[in-house]
Amino acid sequence: SEVSGGTTLLTLRPPENGSGNAWLAAKIDPATAQIKSINQMFDAEAGSITFNSQEELQSIAREIDNELVKATVELDSATQAVQEAVSQALDVTLRTFIEFDWSRSSLVDLDAHLNGPDGSGGTFHVFFSDRGDLAVEGARLENDCTGSCKTEVITIGAFNSGAGQYTASLFNFTERSSASSTSFVDNRSDIIMKINQGGTLQRAANGGFKIINGTLIKQLSPPTEGFGNTWRAVTIDASSGSVDVVNEITHFDSSSEVSGGL
């Protein structure tokens, strides 16, 4: 198997010295997500390290898998903390992907929205009722997820010329009538928005989309407080490509009224 995309955190080759039938490469501390290189050879059938059966070996493998999952979550959280703090800019000449992912949450019917300038003095609003066209609005909603997929992606093929502001938001259609909803705050650790450039769309078996490869420009989760059915995540300056964090919870009476105005 091969892994494509993502961020390489550590690359190792077996050591030049040592003997044995097993290579102990590295370990990950589940508490801190720190990766420690060990890079030693040993004999799995001798000394203090002994696997008595295939079942025991599989059990150890499962434990390692569990630790890797924990470490991945910790690393993801660390990445997000950095991404929330750093203001970054897009290359406005490159295709951009905005991905909302709530697959780890209990929420179901959320909707990605993008408001922006149409290049002719007006504005556009891309969402499930008007999914947009890369040749017209310059943006397109790739999928409307109403079931188990729990991810939606908006592609920006090109930023429309002239001054203007794009706003990316996530609307809770299930609680569209609830101005007092705390669903985004309550599930903040399980909801992520990512902005990527230079990547590609990959469709999952459940109908959702993911972005693979490319460059991660911004990663964000909802704030720790606020009431309403809409998470307004970021704004993007159409001229400079500057991505600014808004990260606020607000309310709109319907999907069609979701706007980028602050």
Side-chain angles (χ1 to χ4, degrees):
S1 299
E2 291 187 359
V3 177
S4 63
T7 301
T8 300
L9 300 177
L10 179 67
T11 300
L12 287 176
R13 289 184 175 85
E16 295 180 357
N17 301 315
S19 62
N21 59 14
W23 172 33
L24 186 59
K27 71 175 183 178
I28 301 173
D29 187 331
T32 64
Q34 290 184 331
I35 304 173
K36 180 180 179 180
S37 172
I38 298 175
N39 206 25
Q40 293 181 359
M41 302 300 298
F42 69 93
D43 191 342
E45 298 175 351
S48 60
I49 302 177
T50 303
F51 300 126
N52 296 319
S53 66
Q54 180 69 19
E55 289 74 17
E56 182 179 355
L57 180 59
Q58 289 176 342
S59 176
I60 292 172
R62 283 193 294 270
E63 291 180 13
I64 293 173
D65 284 342
N66 289 335
E67 297 300 335
L68 286 172
V69 169
K70 292 178 183 178
T72 299
V73 172
E74 294 292 338
L75 288 168
D76 191 62
S77 298
T79 299
Q80 181 166 307
V82 172
Q83 288 287 331
E84 289 181 1
V86 176
S87 179
Q88 294 177 281
L90 298 165
D91 183 338
V92 295
T93 65
L94 297 179
R95 179 163 293 193
T96 300
F97 300 102
I98 301 175
E99 175 188 326
F100 286 99
D101 185 337
W102 60 98
S103 57
R104 295 189 299 192
S105 79
S106 61
L107 303 176
V108 179
D109 194 359
L110 306 185
D111 296 309
H113 288 248
L114 183 69
N115 301 87
D118 62 8
S120 302
T123 60
F124 70 79
H125 179 194
V126 168
F127 67 117
F128 67 86
S129 285
D130 185 355
R131 295 176 63 164
D133 189 319
L134 294 180
V136 180
E137 292 87 358
R140 177 179 65 206
L141 175 67
E142 301 295 347
N143 65 310
D144 176 26
C145 180
T146 60
S148 61
C149 59
K150 296 189 177 185
T151 61
E152 289 192 6
V153 172
I154 293 176
T155 300
I156 302 175
F159 287 88
N160 293 323
S161 60
Q165 180 176 272
Y166 287 70
T167 304
S169 305
L170 190 63
F171 181 81
N172 189 336
F173 189 81
T174 304
E175 298 188 13
R176 56 191 179 278
S177 300
S178 177
S180 60
S181 173
T182 60
S183 58
F184 286 115
V185 172
D186 294 342
N187 293 272
R188 71 173 306 272
S189 61
D190 296 321
I191 303 172
I192 297 175
M193 181 221 67
K194 294 180 180 180
I195 300 178
N196 274 63
Q197 282 199 308
T200 56
L201 280 168
Q202 183 179 67
R203 181 177 285 278
N206 59 12
F209 274 107
K210 288 282 190 180
I211 306 303
I212 60 172
N213 303 324
T215 301
L216 177 65
I217 302 297
K218 181 67 69 177
Q219 179 172 318
L220 191 67
S221 285
T224 56
E225 59 183 17
F227 300 92
N229 57 18
T230 305
W231 172 35
R232 187 184 278 131
V234 298
T235 62
I236 304 170
D237 187 281
S239 298
S240 67
S242 174
V243 180
D244 295 313
V245 173
V246 179
N247 207 24
E248 69 173 14
I249 307 299
T250 187
H251 183 79
F252 293 97
D253 291 334
S254 67
S255 299
S256 60
E257 295 184 21
V258 174
S259 68
L262 303 178

